[in-house]
Amino acid sequence: MRNLVRRHPVISAIFIGCTLLGAGLGYALLTDDWSAARRILAGMIGGAGVGLLITATKLID
């Protein structure tokens, strides 16, 4: 895993940043009907999906 991050630091940063940003936005924007853990997890999944969409063309090396 470390070797992959060292070889592709920009892609890793985008993916991690999107995941963390998604967690924060999920916690802040999803309704209070959901528990805090579910809001964070849902945001992380959404953020990771966006990170994959952004970096998909660069992942096929």
Side-chain angles (χ1 to χ4, degrees):
M1 181 71 176
R2 282 189 170 169
N3 191 21
L4 184 66
V5 173
R6 285 185 186 153
R7 284 188 352 200
H8 305 288
V10 174
I11 292 174
S12 300
I14 291 171
F15 186 72
I16 292 169
C18 286
T19 303
L20 293 176
L21 183 63
L25 289 174
Y27 181 76
L29 298 176
L30 290 172
T31 62
D32 290 335
D33 296 344
W34 295 34
S35 68
R38 290 180 100 183
R39 288 186 284 168
I40 291 171
L41 185 61
M44 288 177 72
I45 291 169
V50 169
L52 282 175
L53 286 173
I54 291 171
T55 60
T57 59
K58 301 295 180 187
L59 292 173
I60 307 171
D61 273 338

